[in-house]
Each structure stands twice: as structure tokens, then as C-alpha cells.
Amino acid sequence: MQVDETATGDVIKRLRRAEGQIRGVIGMLEEGRDCAEVVMQLAAVSRALDRAGFKIIASGLQQCLTADEGEDQSVNLERMEKLFLSLA
């Protein structure tokens, strides 16, 4: 199953934002910033990555729901469930 093209752009934006946040966290650590500030930024990065993953999974679920009748939808849904649980 491929990532839906309409979701790809949004996911890439989220990942680039997370990439910038990670660079910021590294800079904060190098500067010796307060650990509470660093942890807050790490939490923001984690949420951004989770959202990107959930967007991909949501796209996959949409594809499963609109799959051809000849395809084994139960196998696709099981795969999506495993992916979803890996992010939970």
C-alpha cells in the first residue's frame, strides 16, 4: 500500500518542521539550556512525528475502505491496525 499523494505533502511538511525542531533541541543542549525547556521541545517533536505517522495511517485506512472488491480488505486492515498500535 502506497502513501496517498494528497497526504504526502502534508506529511513532508510535518517532518520538515520536526527536523527543524530537532535541530533546535540539539542547539538547546549545546547551549546548556534548562532541562525543562529541552523536554518541552522534545515533547513537541514527538507530537509532530506522531501526527505525521497518524496521517500516513489515516491515508492507508482510506485506501482500505475504498479498495477493490477483489482485494483482501481484512489483511489490509490488520496491517493498518498493527501500524496504528505501533504509534500508540
Side-chain angles (χ1 to χ4, degrees), residues 39-77:
V39 170
M40 284 179 45
Q41 287 303 310
L42 283 173
V45 171
S46 179
R47 284 190 304 272
L49 292 174
D50 286 345
R51 287 183 181 140
F54 288 133
K55 182 74 173 180
I56 291 171
I57 290 172
S59 169
L61 285 173
Q62 183 65 31
Q63 288 180 30
C64 285
L65 293 174
T66 59
D68 293 334
E69 290 181 25
E71 293 183 43
D72 188 354
Q73 292 182 5
S74 64
V75 171
N76 287 337
L77 288 174

